[in-house]
Every structure is written in C-alpha cells, then in structure tokens.
Amino acid sequence: MKGWNIYLLLSIIFLLAIIIFFAATGLWVVFALGVGFLFGFALQKGDLCGSSAMSEVILMKDSRKLFGLWIAILTSMVLFAIFESLGVIQLAPKKLIWLSAIVGGIIFGVGTVLGGGCISGCMYKGATGNINSIVALLTIPIGISLVDYGPLKGLNEYLLTFVIDGNDGKAITLHSLLGLPYWLLVLFFLAVTITFLLISKAKNKTKSKVVNKDKFEFKNIFTKSWKPWQAGILIGIIAMLAWLSSLQTGRNYPLGVTHGVNYAYQAIIDNNVKFVYEKPKPLPQINSSSMPQSQPKQSQIPKAQGKVSEPKKLNVWLILLSLGLMLGAFVSGKMSGQAKLLPKEPSQTLIAILGGLLIGIGAGIATGCIIGNILSAWAMFSVGMIIFGITTLLANWATTYFYLMGGSLLNKHL
C-alpha cells in the first residue's frame, strides 16, 4: 500500500483512536484533535486562506476563495440557526468594541500580506513546508503575547474600554439592530446567495455551452485540490462540530485559532500555567451555621513571602484544535503531493517574520483572527466583528496594492 492510501488508513485509525479514548475516559476535550484534523484537511484541500482570499480579488481578479469563505460563513449560519432553535446552543456574539476592531483590523490586515497568510493560513501552509509561513507562525504567538501579557497590555486594556452595548447589555448584532429573529436573517442571506448562484449559472450557460466534466474517482477526493466553495461547505459543518465539542468543555464558541496558538506557546515558555480541559465543577454549598464563630484577625494571618502571580489559564481544547489543524493539513498535503519544503527569498522570509509579529499583535488587540472574528462571529452577525472584517479587508487590499503590486499614490505619467 503506497501513496495516499496509507495516509487515508492512518487518518481513519487516528479518528477511531479519538473515539475510543473518549469512550474510555469521557473527556470531550480529545475531540478537539479530530475537529482540528478535519479543519486543517479542508483548509489545505481548498487552499482557503483568508488573507489570500482577500488579496487575490485585486491581485488576480479572482474572488473564488473569498466566495468560498462566504460559503463557510453561510453554512455555519444555517447550522447555528438550526441548533439554536433546538436549544442545543446559545449564540455567543462578540461585543462591539469598535476601536479594538479598527486598530486590530488595520494591523492584522497589513500583517497578513507581509506574513503571507492569516493565522490559520500560516498554520496549514507551514504544515506543508512553506518557509515563510513557518517563520511567520513562530512570531505570531509572540505578537499575541505582547498584547495579552507584555508591554502592549495597557494599550489593549485601554482600547477595550471603547465598547458599545445594546439596551439589554448584550452584544450588538445585525439582527438585534434590525429587530429581526436570528433565523429569519439567516434565511434572507441564504435566499440571496442561492439567487446569486442561479443568476451566475444562467449567465455562464449563455457564454459557453461546452461543459467539460472530469470522470469522478474516489481517490480524487484525497489527491486533488477542492474548489473553494466545496471546502467552505465542509468548514461550515466543522464549525458546528467544533461548537458542540467545545461546549462540553465549558467553552461556548465555535472555531477559533488565535488563542490556541498562543496557549501552545505559553505552555512551552511558561511554567506558571493551569490547563483547563473540562467544565468547572460547581462549588460545594457551605452551611453558614457550621462556620466557626470566631475568625482570625487579618493581622494574625501570616503574610506570604513575596507576591505569587496567578497562573495563566490555558484552554486545552484550543491547543488540541491547533495541533489537529497542523496534522490534518500535513496529511492532506502528503496525499496530494504538496507537502514539501518550499524555500523563499531571504528578504521575503525576513518580511514574513515581521508580518507574523503584526498578525499576532492585530489578532491580540481584535480578540481573534479571520476564523474566530469572521468565520464564527459573522455567522452570528456580530457588528463589532463586521467592522473588524471590513477594516482587515481594506488594510489587506492597501498592503497588497503597495507591497505586492508595486502601486504608488503618484501618477506614473507625472
């Protein structure tokens, strides 16, 4: 048995091992490895990097990847609406922290072009041998740490004060602004997308009557690249699986990779950490009548020698999701013969290092990246994350124009 077959067999064994481990231990957190594996596999097969999806619109006049990202969002919307109506999940849109969204979006958008991808893009490209993505991935958690724990923490906390809440104190969403049920707005976007596809299909038929269809072969699913919209559908389904899995560990949110990357980094460099892998257990109720009547005075309590810092809480589900993503992308690349070391020009690699740092800083300030802030948050119509997405897109386009396309503000004929 050679080639893609062996990797398919190993993948099945890996996923079955996860199920067996869960059956033996009851630990839901292990499913993060399987969800991440499928996520990385789909990302690599569709080459669905959020940064590339944005850049290629103006760089190559190609919007297929951007449409694939929208299909992932739309599929997530539909599934979120179904499971929310069944009472299985409770929507968790992000707050409208407008200044963090704008500042983080600008820095993040610039970084994605210089680093050659968003965070998930660098992860799946790095897993298949792209040197620039590997070095960017090494500096991304450093950038996030500068915001979460380092010298940029004060600035970040200041930006987080610029929050606008709804009348009920909840996050402002598109459906709350319009006064519509969530499911109704989902149906609207679904209908608009289907209408758009039908019109586009009709136009394409009039332009060309010749349709070349390749003969379907089972192995092509694993050995050939997917169309972005195909990968988008699967990623939307995976987002729902991610939510159901993480919900059992006390985390009420679908896909997200920013903090998973940073938590993995913190687990390596810091000994003062606490791993969180399950729902917090309820505290036992204490009968006040059984409490001792006399308590020692504060002066009688011995003072601790030195200040003991609180350990950093690291969500194991997010760490395992990130590890699974890298593994799934590697296996996908090996199946299609795309997993090989891809050297770049040294000057590009140095810029990628800077790009990774900016990606991390921007994602840290904006509380997430394209996966958590656009794929997941747009599916819940978070207005703050819509601002982040638009800002990221404009910053990405501006950097693509000036850096990749050699654009200039001055008229070349002057």
Side-chain angles (χ1 to χ4, degrees):
M1 186 178 290
K2 298 180 180 180
W4 66 274
N5 310 65
I6 185 65
Y7 286 102
L8 177 60
L9 178 61
L10 290 174
S11 299
I12 294 172
I13 293 173
F14 174 72
L15 295 175
L16 286 175
I18 291 174
I19 296 174
I20 294 171
F21 183 85
F22 167 74
T25 64
L27 292 175
W28 280 89
V29 70
V30 70
F31 280 112
L33 274 173
V35 172
F37 182 90
L38 296 175
F39 185 36
F41 193 95
L43 284 174
Q44 200 282 330
K45 275 286 172 275
D47 194 19
L48 205 54
C49 169
S51 173
S52 300
M54 295 177 181
S55 296
E56 290 180 8
V57 173
I58 64 171
L59 187 64
M60 304 169 63
K61 309 300 180 186
D62 188 348
S63 59
R64 286 177 297 176
K65 289 182 182 178
L66 196 62
F67 182 70
L69 181 60
W70 168 250
I71 291 298
I73 296 170
L74 183 64
T75 304
S76 299
M77 281 183 193
V78 173
L79 292 174
F80 292 175
I82 293 172
F83 280 83
E84 194 262 348
S85 65
L86 295 174
V88 177
I89 62 171
Q90 184 177 358
L91 297 178
K94 290 193 174 186
K95 293 273 189 177
L96 172 50
I97 312 174
W98 62 272
L99 194 54
S100 290
I102 293 173
V103 174
I106 292 173
I107 298 173
F108 183 79
V110 172
T112 57
V113 178
L114 300 182
C118 57
I119 297 181
S120 59
C122 289
M123 291 174 75
Y124 83 76
K125 293 175 184 178
T128 51
N130 187 304
I131 293 294
N132 284 4
S133 297
I134 292 172
V135 299
L137 193 58
L138 292 176
T139 56
I140 284 172
I142 297 176
I144 303 171
S145 297
L146 291 175
V147 175
D148 287 352
Y149 311 111
L152 296 178
K153 183 177 180 180
L155 171 63
N156 185 45
E157 290 176 346
Y158 171 71
L159 295 175
L160 290 172
T161 62
F162 291 85
V163 58
I164 302 176
D165 289 324
N167 295 329
D168 52 2
K170 296 180 180 180
I172 296 178
T173 61
L174 194 58
H175 52 284
S176 69
L177 287 177
L178 298 174
L180 297 173
Y182 172 74
W183 63 267
L184 185 59
L185 200 55
V186 170
L187 283 179
F188 170 76
F189 280 109
L190 178 62
V192 169
T193 303
I194 293 174
T195 302
F196 170 78
L197 289 173
L198 291 175
I199 294 174
S200 298
K201 187 176 181 180
K203 287 183 178 180
N204 291 334
K205 279 187 176 181
T206 59
K207 289 181 180 180
S208 177
K209 295 183 179 180
V210 179
V211 179
N212 293 321
K213 290 187 177 181
D214 296 329
K215 183 180 179 181
F216 173 78
E217 293 185 35
F218 176 72
K219 71 174 184 178
N220 288 347
I221 298 175
F222 306 99
T223 60
K224 302 294 183 182
S225 296
W226 299 350
K227 294 179 181 179
W229 66 266
Q230 294 171 330
I233 292 175
L234 182 57
I235 289 171
I237 296 172
I238 293 169
M240 190 66 251
L241 293 176
W243 201 337
L244 295 176
S245 168
S246 66
L247 194 63
Q248 302 301 320
T249 66
R251 176 182 175 273
N252 184 36
Y253 206 74
L255 286 170
V257 296
T258 297
H259 288 94
V261 171
N262 192 31
Y263 290 158
Y265 172 70
Q266 296 301 323
I268 296 172
I269 68 167
D270 197 338
N271 292 325
N272 189 25
V273 299
K274 179 182 179 181
F275 294 102
V276 180
Y277 59 91
E278 60 183 351
K279 289 182 180 181
K281 297 178 181 178
L283 295 174
Q285 294 184 352
I286 301 175
N287 190 344
S288 58
S289 61
S290 64
M291 295 283 290
Q293 296 300 315
S294 60
Q295 297 292 336
K297 295 180 180 180
Q298 190 69 28
S299 60
Q300 295 175 335
I301 301 175
K303 294 182 179 179
Q305 297 296 322
K307 185 179 179 180
V308 180
S309 60
E310 287 288 329
K312 297 174 183 175
K313 293 183 179 180
L314 309 182
N315 189 302
V316 176
W317 189 92
L318 287 170
I319 295 175
L320 294 181
L321 179 82
S322 300
L323 294 176
L325 190 161
M326 299 281 287
L327 180 60
F330 173 76
V331 170
S332 173
K334 292 297 290 184
M335 284 184 170
S336 56
Q338 296 172 320
K340 53 188 176 182
L341 197 62
L342 188 62
K344 297 288 185 178
E345 290 290 333
S347 59
Q348 292 182 10
T349 303
L350 289 174
I351 292 173
I353 293 174
L354 172 62
L357 193 65
L358 293 177
I359 292 169
I361 293 173
I365 291 174
T367 70
C369 61
I370 287 178
I371 300 302
N373 284 359
I374 296 181
L375 173 60
S376 296
W378 278 36
M380 290 181 275
F381 303 122
S382 300
V383 172
M385 295 303 99
I386 292 175
I387 294 173
F388 166 81
I390 294 172
T391 306
T392 297
L393 178 68
L394 295 177
N396 178 286
W397 280 354
T399 311
T400 298
Y401 175 73
F402 289 112
Y403 174 63
L404 296 181
M405 301 174 66
S408 174
L409 292 174
L410 300 176
N411 192 323
K412 293 182 180 180
H413 296 291
L414 293 179

